[in-house]
Amino acid sequence: MSKLIVGLGNPGPQYTWTRHNLGFLTLDRLGAQEKVLWRNSPSNHGMLAKVLIEDVECSLLMPMTFMNDSGLSVKKLVDRQGMAPEDILVICDDLTLPLGKLRLRPTGSAGGHNGLKSIIMELGSNRFSRLRMGIDSPPSSVDAVNYVLANFTPAEKKVLPDFINEAMDCVTCWVTEGAQAAMNIYNKKQKDMT
C-alpha cells in the first residue's frame, strides 16, 4: 500500500528559512537523502517526488498553493491516486510545542494550523496522520502570524539539522511500522535544543 507524505510551507525563496516552512525543510532533506527527482506538477499544484522507504512506495508532496490552501494540492493527488486518509502523513510546524519536540497523531483537529485546516476541509476528513514539529511560542509582544513567517534565528538554525533528522526517522517509522509505533517512540522524546 503506497503512502503520501506531505510537507507544509510557503513557496518562494523569501520563505525558505521561516518557521512556517519546517514541513518543506524536512521533506527537502528527506528528498536529498534519498536522491529523489522533484518535478513540478501543475495538475497537483505542487512539487512531487516518488521514493521507496524500506520497500514501501511513497509519494512526497510540497503544495505550492501557499499554506492556507494546502488542501487543494493534497485533494488533487489523493483523488488521482485513490488514497485513503489513513495513508497520509502531513508534516507541519507547531507553535504550542517547544523547539525540538515532535508530536505525531493519527487523527485530530487542525489545532489552529491553517494548512491542516485546509486539508481537513478539502478531504472532508481528519483521519490522516500529522507530525507536528515544535517551533516554540512567540513572545507575548510578537503576533503569531509574524512569528511563524519570520526566519529561524541563527541559534535555532544550529539545532535544525538534528531536529529534522529526528523527524525523518519518525516518518520512516510511521511508514514501516505505523502511527502507534512511531507515537510510542517519538512523542516521548524531547531533544535538548538549548
Side-chain angles (χ1 to χ4, degrees), residues 46-130:
M47 297 297 292
L48 193 59
K50 296 273 191 192
V51 66
L52 276 180
I53 297 179
E54 302 200 12
D55 295 329
V56 179
E57 189 179 282
C58 299
S59 295
L60 307 180
L61 175 67
M62 289 193 273
M64 293 288 124
T65 53
F66 287 93
M67 184 66 79
N68 294 0
D69 290 322
S70 299
L72 298 172
S73 176
V74 175
K75 177 86 163 76
K76 285 269 190 190
L77 191 60
V78 166
D79 284 353
R80 189 166 282 125
Q81 296 190 354
M83 281 184 164
E86 291 80 6
D87 294 320
I88 303 169
L89 172 63
V90 178
I91 306 167
C92 64
D93 59 297
D94 190 308
L95 46 65
T96 67
L97 296 173
L99 183 68
K101 175 74 177 166
L102 297 174
R103 180 167 294 148
L104 179 71
R105 291 280 184 266
T107 184
S109 73
H113 194 286
N114 287 335
L116 292 177
K117 197 181 296 179
S118 173
I119 295 170
I120 290 169
M121 188 181 80
E122 292 293 335
L123 293 182
S125 172
N126 65 357
R127 300 192 61 77
F128 56 87
S129 294
R130 66 285 317 267

Side-chain angles (χ1 to χ4, degrees), residues 22 25-26 29 133 160-169:
L22 205 40
L25 290 170
T26 302
R29 176 75 67 78
M133 300 178 69
L160 279 184
D162 283 348
F163 187 25
I164 288 172
N165 284 340
E166 184 93 352
M168 285 166 44
D169 290 345

Side-chain angles (χ1 to χ4, degrees), residues 30-49:
L30 180 62
Q33 177 184 285
E34 301 296 330
K35 297 180 173 59
V36 304
L37 183 65
W38 288 99
R39 64 183 177 84
N40 183 24
S41 177
S43 60
N44 293 305
H45 308 300
M47 297 297 292
L48 193 59

